[in-house]
Amino acid sequence: MAQDAAVNDAALPTTVLVVEDDVLLRMFAVEMIEDAGFRVIEASDADAAIRVLEARNDIRIIFTDIDMPGSMNGLKLAHAVANRWPPIRIIATSGHFRIGESDLPDGGRFIPKPYRQHQIIGALTEFANPRSAFGAR
């Protein structure tokens, strides 16, 4: 019976937190990510994202815009998440800033806007299934 529960947990889709202040872009991202089979939670800014993370323990990946209003931008959010919730993987995007992977916490990924669906879904899939992307360790 416990084995069945473990199998069911493993079969659950990965939960992604989408952090985007532009409502239309957030709606597009949510739909795209859900259509790829992920569970999605939304936040309109970094402050809302932190509240979500404090209330939930199922977030595995954050897809965040960098340029956002509020107490911190997406880059600061990425570092705050890396400090408090190190297992959570980060994908950052921006149409205004070009940052290097070294600007993000270890293992973070930057994808510039306008991004293509396959770029985001590919990164999410890789982060959700690290054993298939990097081989068993």
Side-chain angles (χ1 to χ4, degrees):
M1 197 106 166
Q3 186 179 22
D4 290 341
V7 169
N8 288 339
D9 286 346
L12 292 175
T14 301
T15 303
V16 178
L17 176 59
V18 173
V19 188
E20 170 65 66
D21 63 307
D22 183 296
V23 175
L24 293 177
L25 290 176
R26 187 170 67 243
M27 287 172 50
F28 170 75
V30 166
E31 183 176 349
M32 169 184 66
I33 294 167
E34 284 179 338
D35 286 350
F38 295 89
R39 261 186 302 182
V40 180
I41 308 298
E42 302 176 44
S44 59
D45 59 31
D47 298 318
I50 294 293
R51 288 191 297 274
V52 168
L53 290 166
E54 288 174 341
R56 301 181 65 113
N57 65 0
D58 61 337
I59 308 293
R60 298 293 171 256
I61 304 169
I62 294 178
F63 176 49
T64 184
D65 189 21
I66 291 177
D67 187 26
M68 289 185 296
S71 68
M72 66 178 99
N73 65 20
L75 193 55
K76 289 181 182 177
L77 172 65
H79 286 283
V81 168
N83 287 332
R84 286 183 67 184
W85 299 279
I88 296 177
R89 304 294 304 267
I90 308 286
I91 301 169
T93 188
S94 178
H96 299 104
F97 300 100
R98 295 288 186 246
I99 64 168
E101 304 275 325
S102 62
D103 295 322
L104 289 167
D106 286 344
R109 175 100 29 101
F110 177 74
I111 300 173
K113 288 180 183 176
Y115 50 77
R116 301 211 187 263
Q117 182 173 343
H118 72 88
Q119 293 173 293
I120 303 304
I121 300 309
L124 290 170
T125 301
E126 179 183 323
F127 284 179
N129 304 301
R131 300 184 103 218
S132 64
F134 303 110
R137 292 185 181 184

